[in-house]
Amino acid sequence: MTVVEAIRIAKERGFTPELQAVALDSGDPELAYRFAYAVEEADLDALETVVLRSPHPRLVFDFALVKAERGGDVARLQEAVVASGDAGLMILFAADVEGADIERLEDAVRAHPDAKYSLLFEAEMRQKGHY
């Protein structure tokens, strides 16, 4: 069974741990994200371990949006985005992910070699009402 089939079955018949195991066993970060996005009952903590293997910080950010929306802890995902060095995603994380540590992200953005990101961070935080 493929992950796409597991998602379809979960939507039609309901979630089972066996269906999630297909996503976990695939080891594919994008498929793990897609399963989490499509299946409300998914165990996001288990799927997070697969997503964190992704070389694409945008996928980690997208997963964080899903996890935060469902009330999960996003700390490990946040650290992966910080470790990526992608200041633009750090700004988006601070602005859009519920539960983000804004001070931690601000420090990381300020440490970025391109100063424009500090200005963008401040502007985004003002717009979102954090400043």
Side-chain angles (χ1 to χ4, degrees):
M1 171 183 326
T2 68
V3 176
V4 173
E5 291 169 328
I7 291 169
R8 181 184 52 77
I9 292 169
K11 285 183 168 187
E12 291 174 359
R13 300 182 204 157
F15 171 81
T16 67
E18 292 78 23
L19 293 172
Q20 180 164 298
V22 174
L24 292 170
D25 292 345
S26 77
D28 185 313
E30 184 171 347
L31 292 175
Y33 160 73
R34 292 190 182 284
F35 190 88
Y37 181 82
V39 181
E40 281 283 324
E41 302 87 353
D43 178 351
L44 300 181
D45 290 331
L47 292 165
E48 179 179 299
T49 62
V50 177
V51 171
L52 284 170
R53 294 184 206 139
S54 176
H56 306 291
R58 179 62 194 225
L59 183 67
V60 174
F61 167 76
D62 289 341
F63 185 83
L65 288 172
V66 171
K67 192 168 184 189
E69 181 180 288
R70 297 184 193 161
D73 181 8
V74 295
R76 288 178 51 203
L77 299 161
Q78 175 178 294
E79 287 310 307
V81 168
V82 168
S84 77
D86 187 327
L89 277 180
M90 291 181 226
I91 293 167
L92 288 175
F93 206 103
D96 297 335
V97 177
E98 189 70 34
D101 181 345
I102 294 172
E103 289 179 15
R104 167 72 175 115
L105 290 161
E106 181 177 19
D107 291 343
V109 169
R110 291 202 187 285
H112 194 276
D114 191 339
K116 75 178 180 188
Y117 290 108
S118 291
L119 297 172
L120 292 170
F121 187 91
E122 288 179 28
E124 188 67 27
M125 292 303 100
R126 278 193 187 92
Q127 183 179 8
K128 295 287 183 172
H130 294 295
Y131 280 1

